[in-house]
Each structure stands twice: as C-alpha cells, then as structure tokens.
Amino acid sequence: MPAKNFVVAIELGSTKIKGIAGQKKSDGSIAVLAMVSEDAKDCIRNGVVYNIDKTVQCITNIVQRLRGQLKSGIKHVYVGVGGQSIHSERNVIVREIHSTVPVTQQLIVEMMDQNRSMEYPDMEILDVEVQEYRADALMQTEPVGIQCSRLDGNFLNILQSKRHYQKLNTCFDIAGVKLAEIYLAPFALADAVLTPVEKRSGCVLVDMGADTTTVMVYYKNIVRHIAVIPLGGNNITKDICSLQVEETDAEKLKLRYASAYTAPEDIDTSLKYDIDRDRKVESSRFIDIVEARVQEIIANVWNQIPADFSDKILGGIILTGGAANMKNMDVAFRQHTSIEKVRMAKFVTSTISTTNAEINAHDGTMNTLLGLLAKGDQNCYTPADDTRSQDIFGMGEAAAAPETPSEGAPVRDPNSLPPGVVQTAAEKAAAEKAAAAEAQRKAEEAEAARLAEEARLAEEEKKNAKPGFGTKIMKWLSSIAAPDE
C-alpha cells in the first residue's frame, strides 16, 4: 500500500545529502517510512553547494529513491539550510518618542522593517531574532503600551552569503523539487535536542560535523548568537595523515585510537599504535596530534560565546553531531572551558519509531534530519491525479498546500514567520516586488495629496485676494458709464 500521509525533509550535510519521509502521529510521535542518502563530497563543501550540477543530481536521486520506497508521489519537501558563512550580527534600532504616548504595534513593525532593510555586503538576511527592547532604562520583551521617551530595538540578524543562498534555491529549482519550507537547520536541531529548561537558563549547543562545527547560544528562550566554524572531524583525520597514511586509513586510526582528552598520568610512553603492517606510532605522539586539533576546535567554540553571556550558561554545553562521538569529547570541553555542565545529545527528544539502523544507532548524526522532519506540518504526498495537500494527520478536509509566490500565493510577512523559517528566493523576490508596489502606491497617494493641497491653497488665496488697482478702475468706469435713471 502506498503511503498517503507523510512529511519529506532533506538535509544538505557536510559530506552527505540525506532525505527522510515520516508520518506524524496524533500523540506527537513520528514513524519513519523511508530514509536515503547520497554521497555529496563532490558537490557540497562545508555544508554549502559548490557544484550545482552534481547537487541537482543528488537531490533528484534522493527524491526518486524516496518515491520508490514510499510508492507515492512527493508534492514538496522541507529543506534545511546551514553550513559555512552562516553567522549572526547584532543591530539596534533607536526611536525617540513623546513620553506621554505609549508604544504602539505600528511603531514596533516600523522598527522591525527598518532592521530588515539593513544592507550587509554580499550577505543575505535569512532570519531575524528579536532580542529585548529597552524602554528608557528598562528591558522589555513586549513593549507595546509602555510609555517612554526612547525605545531601543535589539535585533539579531542571521546572515548567509548571498551566493550560497542563491545556489541552494537554484538547485531545487533546476531539480524541479518544490519547497514547502526552508528552515535554518541549527534551529530545527536545537528544537529537537534541547530542553525548555536549557533554553531558558542559558546554554550552548555545539553541533560537531565532518567539516563544520555550529555554535548556538540561548538565554531566556532567545537565540543570542549563532556561528558556523569551518572545523570538524575531518580536520582531525587530515592531521593524522601527517603520519604518512591515506585519508581512509587515517579515519580508521581515528575511530580506533583517538580520544579527545587523555589525562597526563594515563599516557603510556611505551605504548605504540599500529599504523600499518610495518609501522607503528608512539601513543603519545598520536595523542598530541589529535588533542591539538580538538583544543583548537574547542577554543574556537568558546570564542563564539558573547562576553555578556559567558556567565549565564547555567544550562551548560550540549554536544551533538558525528564528531562529538569521539571518546572523552565531553571531558575535553570540561577541561578547556569554564563550563562543568556538559551533556551529550545522542538522539532527539521526540519519540521515533523506525527499523533503520542509522537512526537507531543514536549517535547524533541523524538529529538535524529528524529535527527537520519534525518541523514539517504539511502533507507532502500527492497522487498522480491530484495535487491537493491534506491535513498532516489525515483528519479533516484537505487543505490547500502552500504555493510558490509565482503561482499567486499571498506573500508572507517576514516579521511574522516562526523562528528559523527562511523565505525562499521566490518569496523574497515577490516580497520585494510587493514592497516596491506599495511604496509606489504610497508615493502616488502622497503626490496626489500634495497636488490637491496646492490646488486648495491656490483657490483659497484667490478667494481671499484684495481687488487690485486695475480692478478698481474697471469698476469706476462701469459706474460712470451707466445711464441715469
């Protein structure tokens, strides 16, 4: 029987492109129906597209293989955007207002729009996380209705290279795969593995991948910082290659012997590790090679924590991702940071039912993909003779699936999108077109109002004008020329 109610998500990782289909249950659990992956080493680098043709082929293969396993058509997919160049920048918008007038929602919208209009060279604003507003001297999350003389809006703008953003959209356009939604992958991951207490009390999420390490800082349920470091597990593997071994063999040595931290008293200077049939390496030298790179990664992670939040990380550090599986990685973070509370997030907090061995391994490598799957709320199924979408739980009438702006769907206000949701390139273009049309309409209305006011003033001046000398002469001549009665 073909599946008829499911969500499809695609993750473009550092070394693989993964696709997954799952069915959401009414109790919140997810049943995985299909999972496939494609080697992306030749088209993805540091989590971003660099070869469009090969990426398109991988995406096409992913969708076709999922269709084969599901025995159903796929209307659209959810996709996660991440990788190199994603980072956050703080911005402050200031408004001086009359102290007797309370802050209005319109003022807040204007400040948000002004922030969205910020220009960053060669960068695209993917998302905006509103921090707090400072109303005079008080920090507020909901300033509407408060009377103050100055309002500071604090925003965290999440950026990515325009080139990387456009390449991602282009790949799905060429592949003919419709996007239901684009999510910032780190946000989907955070919602999948962090607890509400950790987000509220302050924590650092560290996703250690093959080529990159993503860092997110939370405090009071608000994202305070995000950055992607171009260092990951593969860097450790390449360092081991300095022992004059091939990369595949270096990876095996890493998996067999590597430890992120070894206490000095536990180092056996007489112990040697087998490199190949004829060679060995002193364990102390191998430890130095591995730990040097691990310490560099940790130092870069720690450097990403804003100084004003470094003492507010009460929820600790949460480690996830494939590279975090290295032995004693949590110990290394405790040793090289001031944070004692370190937790390994090996799996998502949702209930997942599956027979897939990769997912059931609970090794942190599937957390982002499962997080993206959990974000989907529109049915991705489509039969051959029907393109309507249905309620994700299969309960109730069919609901219209989101269309691309080119198909006439309403343009969504970016300020009203949920955290982590990114506008597609088509939506951005449609929003810019709509904004330009609105600006033109307002300009025309303003010009019409100006002309009407000018006409009114001219008419009023004409009515109020005193008779001139010429007018008086004409009246006198008229009076003497009139016949006597």
Side-chain angles (χ1 to χ4, degrees), residues 113 117 411 414 427-443:
D113 287 341
S117 66
V411 178
E427 282 184 307
K428 275 184 174 285
E432 290 170 2
K433 184 177 179 180
E438 179 65 13
Q440 178 67 21
R441 184 187 66 79
K442 288 183 177 180

Side-chain angles (χ1 to χ4, degrees), residues 2 11 36 47 65 82 84 91 94 116 127 143 152 184 187 196 204 238 266 299 355 361 370 426 464 469 476:
E11 177 197 3
V36 298
R65 291 172 62 191
Q84 191 177 16
N91 188 39
V94 179
R116 281 269 183 183
D127 191 23
D152 294 8
L184 276 164
F187 279 72
V204 181
K238 290 173 182 176
D266 294 334
T355 57
L370 292 171
N464 296 333
F469 180 75
W476 178 76

Side-chain angles (χ1 to χ4, degrees), residues 111-384:
M111 295 176 72
M112 295 173 75
D113 287 341
Q114 184 179 345
N115 175 69
R116 281 269 183 183
S117 66
M118 283 288 297
E119 291 288 339
Y120 297 91
D122 302 320
M123 302 300 291
E124 191 83 33
I125 296 180
L126 298 184
D127 191 23
V128 175
E129 289 297 299
V130 180
Q131 308 294 283
E132 293 97 349
Y133 293 88
R134 181 185 293 275
D136 288 338
L138 298 177
M139 300 301 289
Q140 305 283 340
T141 55
E142 298 291 342
V144 175
I146 293 175
Q147 290 183 338
C148 59
S149 59
R150 172 179 165 133
L151 184 67
D152 294 8
N154 296 284
F155 303 96
L156 188 73
N157 295 332
I158 301 172
L159 314 174
Q160 186 185 36
S161 162
K162 287 184 178 180
R163 182 165 48 90
H164 295 331
Y165 172 78
Q166 289 294 342
K167 281 184 177 181
L168 175 72
N169 282 270
T170 299
C171 287
F172 282 90
D173 286 344
I174 295 174
V177 177
K178 198 172 173 182
L179 297 177
E181 201 84 88
I182 298 180
Y183 275 96
L184 276 164
F187 279 72
L189 173 65
D191 288 344
V193 301
L194 298 181
T195 67
V197 173
E198 288 169 337
K199 287 184 178 182
R200 184 174 63 251
S201 59
C203 69
V204 181
L205 174 62
V206 182
D207 180 20
M208 304 183 71
D211 292 330
T212 60
T213 297
T214 302
V215 183
M216 288 186 76
V217 179
Y218 274 90
Y219 181 64
K220 290 186 177 179
N221 293 317
I222 299 172
V223 176
R224 306 295 180 165
H225 183 71
I226 180 171
V228 179
I229 302 167
L231 294 171
N234 283 346
N235 295 91
I236 300 172
T237 302
K238 290 173 182 176
D239 290 345
I240 296 173
C241 289
S242 65
L243 297 173
Q244 296 181 333
V245 296
E246 294 290 333
E247 193 167 328
T248 54
D249 294 328
E251 181 69 17
K252 292 176 182 177
L253 289 172
K254 182 181 74 174
L255 296 175
R256 186 183 306 166
Y257 300 121
S259 174
Y261 178 80
T262 303
E265 61 272 18
D266 294 334
I267 298 175
D268 185 350
T269 55
S270 64
L271 180 63
K272 295 184 178 182
Y273 296 144
D274 291 329
I275 295 179
D276 50 38
R277 188 176 300 176
D278 303 316
R279 295 185 301 147
K280 295 179 182 293
V281 61
E282 294 83 359
S283 63
S284 56
R285 184 185 174 192
F286 188 85
I287 289 170
D288 287 343
I289 291 172
V290 172
E291 289 194 11
R293 183 63 74 176
V294 169
Q295 289 178 30
E296 181 189 15
I297 294 173
I298 294 174
N300 276 273
V301 168
W302 186 248
N303 189 56
Q304 289 298 327
I305 302 174
D308 46 344
F309 293 104
S310 60
D311 61 343
K312 298 178 175 65
I313 311 300
L314 303 182
I317 296 174
I318 295 85
L319 301 178
T320 190
N325 288 315
M326 181 179 289
K327 181 182 176 183
N328 289 334
M329 186 61 77
D330 55 338
V331 178
F333 269 85
R334 292 189 188 96
Q335 290 292 324
H336 301 299
T337 70
S338 62
I339 306 296
E340 285 292 324
K341 191 175 183 179
V342 180
R343 177 173 75 86
M344 302 293 291
K346 295 286 190 178
F347 203 60
V348 297
T349 55
S350 303
T351 301
I352 306 292
S353 60
T354 180
T355 57
N356 185 280
E358 286 187 73
I359 298 174
N360 285 330
H362 288 208
D363 58 4
T365 59
M366 303 298 292
N367 288 351
T368 299
L369 186 63
L370 292 171
L372 290 170
L373 180 65
K375 285 294 182 184
D377 57 6
Q378 283 288 332
N379 191 6
C380 295
Y381 162 76
T382 180

